[in-house]
Amino acid sequence: MDNKTYKNSYKFNEKNLTSMFVYNVGQQQCEPLLKWGPGIRDHFLIHHIVSGKGVYTVSGRTYHLTAGDTFIVYPNVTVSYQADEDEPYEYYWVGFNGSDASILLDKTDFSSQTPVIRLNNEKKIQELLTDIFTKRGIKPDDYIKMTASLYNFIAFLIEQSTPKATKNISLEYLHNATDYISRNYAMDISINDIAQNISISRSSLYRTFMKNMNISPIDYLTHFRIKKACALLEKGGLSIEEVSVSTGFTDPFYFSRVFKKIVGVPPIKYIKK
């Protein structure tokens, strides 16, 4: 057996404003018994095995992996995976997150009960994951191209999936809520406004966000506004007060406090940085 190992990876350190963004992407020939976990991720992570063997453990179940298998790691779920001692696997992976992620993944064959799938066109999966990796870069256009390749990959998983008999109503509400926020974040909207707009109770809206994104609606709205504020500050041309108003904060002092809490530095230092 060829014991030569390698790892090519890329991690995007800034969470972009797109509805789904690449967190990391890479390819690796693992050394024997190389293990990750038990631990949790804060994003979705999909691995595709191109050769070798390994095991994946999640929710008390262990799956024996071979070439052609594709497995998913869900956010905030304890997992572990390990390469075989004699035939360690080689895999390609992509990590991602965003408001579109859970909605689109629900249309694939992946689920908490089915974290490992096997599709017919194994070569196509490898090509699509490679395409995400080759689009990596630090320029805005590189990032947009990488995100587009991620959507192409998820679209292929959906295309190859078994048709769903019924819609996930919870995810439909989530999509409508995040869409409303993306269109109205600059205005003085409240959680009640969001709930009323999508015809759901405030408590149901809270449960929907926590179930699918593990974040409350108000925290999602606040983080969304701060991400938009970061983009405006990076672009330049607006004062901190103008950025505050433009992202739905009526009080610039409150905006600065929230900004520092989430980003780690106040707006004025973020501009200099």
Side-chain angles (χ1 to χ4, degrees):
M1 182 188 69
D2 186 358
N3 291 321
K4 184 180 293 185
T5 62
Y6 74 89
K7 181 177 182 180
N8 301 318
S9 64
Y10 173 80
K11 182 175 181 180
F12 190 78
N13 293 317
E14 299 292 336
K15 288 185 170 63
N16 205 274
L17 303 177
T18 51
S19 297
M20 189 165 62
F21 56 86
V22 176
Y23 186 90
N24 54 44
V25 63
Q27 310 155 356
Q28 183 172 7
Q29 171 61 65
C30 298
E31 60 190 59
L33 298 178
L34 179 66
K35 183 178 182 180
W36 190 92
I40 63 172
R41 303 287 194 178
D42 63 355
H43 56 281
F44 295 94
L45 185 62
I46 293 178
H47 290 79
H48 176 66
I49 313 298
V50 297
S51 66
K53 301 176 182 179
V55 293
Y56 176 43
T57 301
V58 55
S59 301
R61 301 188 302 274
T62 297
Y63 301 85
H64 294 273
L65 307 170
T66 59
D69 286 334
T70 306
F71 70 94
I72 188 169
V73 176
Y74 285 95
N76 304 314
V77 175
T78 301
V79 304
S80 67
Y81 41 97
Q82 183 174 25
D84 186 72
E85 182 175 10
D86 298 321
E87 299 179 59
Y89 48 38
E90 176 187 7
Y91 54 50
Y92 288 39
W93 81 84
V94 61
F96 56 97
N97 218 331
S99 59
D100 273 359
S102 59
I103 297 170
L104 295 178
L105 285 172
D106 185 61
K107 300 180 185 300
T108 71
D109 282 341
F110 283 124
S111 71
S112 59
Q113 299 300 314
T114 311
V116 180
I117 62 175
R118 194 176 185 90
L119 303 176
N120 292 326
N121 199 336
E122 179 183 343
K123 184 178 179 180
K124 182 66 174 179
I125 301 175
Q126 187 173 339
E127 290 175 353
L128 290 167
L129 289 171
T130 300
D131 187 52
I132 300 173
F133 183 76
T134 57
K135 295 294 195 309
R136 69 195 186 280
I138 60 174
K139 302 191 302 297
D141 59 303
D142 294 326
Y143 182 70
I144 296 300
K145 292 173 183 176
M146 188 166 56
T147 304
S149 295
L150 171 62
Y151 273 100
N152 284 336
F153 172 61
I154 301 299
F156 174 76
L157 296 181
I158 295 173
E159 178 186 9
Q160 296 294 309
S161 67
T162 305
K164 299 292 190 299
T166 58
K167 290 184 178 180
N168 187 320
I169 300 301
S170 176
L171 288 175
E172 291 292 330
Y173 280 128
L174 179 68
H175 175 75
N176 292 338
T178 55
D179 180 64
Y180 180 82
I181 289 172
S182 68
R183 290 184 287 106
N184 297 281
Y185 71 92
M187 296 187 287
D188 185 22
I189 60 173
S190 67
I191 300 305
N192 283 333
D193 293 328
I194 301 171
Q196 290 175 7
N197 181 267
I198 65 172
S199 302
I200 190 176
S201 70
R202 183 187 177 108
S203 59
S204 294
L205 180 66
Y206 176 84
R207 289 194 297 271
T208 295
F209 269 83
M210 293 303 296
K211 175 183 177 181
N212 295 288
M213 301 187 71
N214 201 30
I215 189 174
S216 69
I218 188 62
D219 284 343
Y220 178 89
L221 173 60
T222 301
H223 279 75
F224 190 91
R225 284 171 164 165
I226 293 300
K227 289 178 185 178
K228 290 291 188 180
C230 287
L232 291 177
L233 291 172
E234 291 169 9
K235 183 178 181 180
L238 294 178
S239 68
I240 292 176
E241 183 175 359
E242 289 170 331
V243 170
S244 170
V245 173
S246 300
T247 52
F249 293 92
T250 56
D251 182 348
F253 296 104
Y254 175 70
F255 163 71
S256 295
R257 290 199 303 272
V258 174
F259 190 96
K260 181 179 180 181
K261 180 179 179 181
I262 293 177
V263 180
V265 295
I268 187 65
K269 287 190 176 181
Y270 186 83
I271 295 173
K272 294 178 181 179
K273 179 182 177 183

